[in-house]
Amino acid sequence: MKKAKAKTKKQNSPPAKTARQKAAFRPGKAVAARPAGIAPQRVASILQKLDEGYPQVTCALEHENAFQLLVSTILSAQCTDERVNQVTKTLFVKYRAPEDFAYANPAELEQAIRPTGFFRNKAKSILGASKKIVEEFGGEVPRTMEELLTLPGVARKTANVVLGTAFGIAAGVVVDTHVIRLSNRLNLSRNTDPKKIEQDLMKLIPRDKWILFSHQLIWHGRKVCQARKPRCAECNLEDLCYAKDKTV
Ligand code: SF4
């Protein structure tokens, strides 16, 4: 009888909490919101492998200053960096300073950037951003995320590219199409929204690695972990990757 009572009590009890759940609910002892299932040692191993494979990579967009990088990054939406570099080779000869872009003839600028696609919207963004830089920021590209986000056509990805590559300021992590895909495949984030992925990565990756890490992931995405057919047999992260679409 006693045994039956004990069994009934056990069946009616809620499942025991894991150590992590207990810690999470301890008042005043909030656990850092690390994406589920990501062990710090695994993240460290991924960073080490990326360092081995891509020790000195940087942004592939050719530029001489922060303003040119800003224009190139706006042009790179839905376009390859190679094509943007082809276009800017002549574009930056004709339009040299922010003033040249700010007061350019819109139709002429549209034609000059046409090969990059979505040229009307891109021209509008470049004209608007340049005008604001000239009229409100003294002709200098601003150096804070808050200010950059006030420029037309500039969202967090573009702002992070400019801050990280042109100024060496780690304000966030660049999340482009490669970073989205690789973050999911490597289980660094289960989100699909770039803003949420960036938040996940900022919690997982040490801040002094944010700039290099995004370049490394972008290069790995281009060279090895390609969208349609990842080259897993050549990937030095293979033993750390549990992606469903692995090809080995
Ligand atoms: S093992 Fe394959 S899917 Fe995983 S990161 Fe490498 S290339 Fe990408």
Side-chain angles (χ1 to χ4, degrees), residues 181-182 185-186 217 220-221 223-226 229-248:
R181 186 176 68 255
L182 268 75
R185 278 180 174 162
L186 288 167
L217 231 49
H220 192 60
K223 303 260 174 214
V224 182
C225 190
Q226 291 149 354
K229 207 173 173 202
R231 299 157 71 165
C232 304
E234 299 165 34
C235 178
N236 71 342
L237 294 162
E238 196 272 320
D239 59 343
L240 294 163
C241 176
Y242 313 114
K244 283 186 187 142
D245 54 350
K246 264 170 80 169
T247 54
V248 288

Side-chain angles (χ1 to χ4, degrees), residues 124-142:
K124 214 167 153 189
S125 297
I126 293 169
L127 284 165
S130 305
K131 209 165 177 207
K132 191 149 188 172
I133 286 171
V134 170
E135 295 177 2
E136 294 182 30
F137 293 102
E140 300 289 331
V141 176

Side-chain angles (χ1 to χ4, degrees), residues 11 24 137 208:
Q11 280 170 345
F137 293 102
D208 63 354

